[in-house]
Amino acid sequence: MAPKTMPEHPLFRVRPISPFLEMGAYEALWSKRGTTFKSLSERFVRHPGSVPSDFVSQSEARDCAMLVKRRFDAAEGTGFGVHVHGAGEYPMQLRDAVHPVALLYYKGWWDLANSRSVAVVGSRKPSLEGLSRVRRLVRELVADNFTVVSGLAAGIDRVAHETAIEEDGRTIAVIGTPLSHVYPKENTSLQHHIASHFLVVSQVPLMRYESQDYRLNRFFFPERNATMSALTEATIIVEAGEKSGTLVQARAALRQKRKLFVLDSCFRNPRLTWPARLERQGAIRIRDYDEVKQCLSSSSH
């Protein structure tokens, strides 16, 4: 699947767009009570060709943008950028999501978003066997020149990123916090390393994240899973429990017509019902990496 970056609506081509002001407008929209990714997406569907600043005054957009820039500049790490739907290098494969994001924040090497990539995800508390499997899988993906994408959570995600780096591969972190925050805290140095040498991506509005009850911020994590799935050409589930957030990404991948691979070891766990259920819906049961390679090779032609 070749990444797409061209705007999909002709109205986008008739006016200049300022990423700085669009960032501020995006933050301003999120500061309004009841705003969700679903409600924003539906608003943009009702107004084809629109961008965030069409719904916010220029002064409010500018004020919000300046606040966010100060917060990001004060945070440790490299500079940041934004991509807006309808301008520049916004990755059009994200439009395959049910509620696609209007704007992405990023730190690092943006060109990685246009490389062939596979998401590797799973439990925050994996077994020793699961850790061994993810390391082996990532080594093989790196050897075949795939960028390894994960969510920078504890467990499988962290090991997927670390192994890609150890193997001199490429990795992208799609995080569930603003760029200036880290969760879990023990991944702070890893997030900074990925931002400095690879790519960190976030759709999470800083002002909303910092102003609302922290317990509500957990809802940003499943939303980023849908974005991670859309950004990549396939998702591989290494290990996950019955109520794992990983299953949000699995369902998103199937809706987005992405390849969804599930390791055979998941099917052999008698306590799990989700592997068989996902297989009936289109997931692919794999016993080794060669099966992944074969499926991805056939889809690239």
Side-chain angles (χ1 to χ4, degrees):
M1 181 185 67
K4 299 170 286 185
T5 57
M6 290 298 291
E8 65 189 14
H9 198 285
L11 293 181
F12 285 134
R13 303 190 184 98
V14 301
R15 55 178 171 166
I17 291 176
S18 164
F20 182 75
L21 286 179
E22 296 308 328
M23 173 184 73
Y26 178 77
E27 292 279 348
L29 287 170
W30 269 102
S31 69
K32 301 196 169 30
R33 184 186 299 272
T35 299
T36 63
F37 288 108
K38 180 177 185 290
S39 68
L40 276 185
S41 174
E42 289 173 345
R43 175 180 282 199
F44 288 116
V45 168
R46 291 194 300 271
H47 302 276
S50 61
V51 291
S53 62
D54 289 327
F55 308 107
V56 175
S57 71
Q58 189 173 80
S59 60
E60 184 180 11
R62 184 179 294 107
D63 289 346
C64 290
M66 291 178 68
L67 186 154
V68 171
K69 185 178 186 301
R70 285 196 299 270
R71 293 288 292 113
F72 282 164
D73 287 346
E76 183 181 351
T78 57
F80 74 98
V82 298
H83 283 308
V84 187
H85 178 223
E89 297 182 63
Y90 176 94
M92 288 305 298
Q93 64 265 37
L94 295 186
R95 307 314 291 175
D96 292 338
V98 174
H99 305 300
V101 295
L103 181 146
L104 277 181
Y105 298 94
Y106 72 94
K107 281 188 176 183
W109 182 16
W110 178 255
D111 286 351
L112 287 185
N114 296 320
S115 63
R116 292 196 71 191
S117 61
V118 174
V120 179
V121 294
S123 172
R124 286 177 166 82
K125 297 180 179 179
S127 65
L128 291 176
E129 293 82 1
L131 292 175
S132 177
R133 291 183 186 108
V134 71
R135 290 188 184 100
R136 183 167 59 250
L137 182 64
V138 168
R139 290 188 192 107
E140 291 172 310
L141 285 167
V142 168
D144 277 343
N145 202 34
F146 285 102
T147 297
V148 175
V149 182
S150 201
L152 205 62
I156 295 294
D157 288 20
R158 179 185 176 111
V159 173
H161 292 301
E162 289 178 333
T163 304
I165 294 167
E166 290 164 2
E167 295 296 313
D168 293 324
R170 306 179 304 267
T171 191
I172 299 173
V174 183
I175 62 174
T177 67
L179 292 177
S180 53
H181 291 250
V182 181
Y183 185 85
K185 290 297 184 185
E186 55 265 30
N187 282 351
T188 298
S189 61
L190 179 59
Q191 181 167 320
H192 290 161
H193 181 84
I194 295 174
S196 298
H197 297 87
F198 303 101
L199 180 63
V200 176
V201 174
S202 173
Q203 66 202 63
V204 181
L206 175 73
M207 293 171 58
R208 174 70 167 268
Y209 187 90
E210 292 188 339
S211 64
Q212 71 181 4
D213 186 320
Y214 74 93
R215 289 169 294 189
L216 297 176
N217 287 332
R218 69 182 186 272
F219 295 110
F220 286 121
F221 287 88
E223 297 287 356
R224 67 87 191 268
N225 285 102
T227 296
M228 192 193 318
S229 170
L231 190 64
T232 57
E233 62 183 271
T235 289
I236 304 175
I237 300 178
V238 177
E239 190 174 273
E242 279 290 286
K243 297 182 179 180
S244 173
T246 298
L247 303 185
V248 173
Q249 184 154 337
R251 292 188 290 270
L254 292 172
R255 284 194 297 267
Q256 296 161 4
K257 310 300 182 186
R258 302 296 193 265
K259 300 285 187 185
L260 175 63
F261 301 106
V262 180
L263 265 60
D264 180 65
S265 52
C266 298
F267 288 87
R268 291 188 277 105
N269 185 336
R271 297 189 299 273
L272 299 178
T273 62
W274 64 261
R277 184 171 65 251
L278 289 179
E279 186 178 33
R280 289 193 296 271
Q281 294 170 7
I284 303 168
R285 181 175 184 170
I286 57 166
R287 291 160 183 81
D288 55 45
Y289 175 72
D290 285 342
E291 293 176 89
V292 175
K293 184 175 182 177
Q294 183 176 359
C295 287
L296 293 180
S297 296
S298 62
S299 67
S300 67
H301 298 302

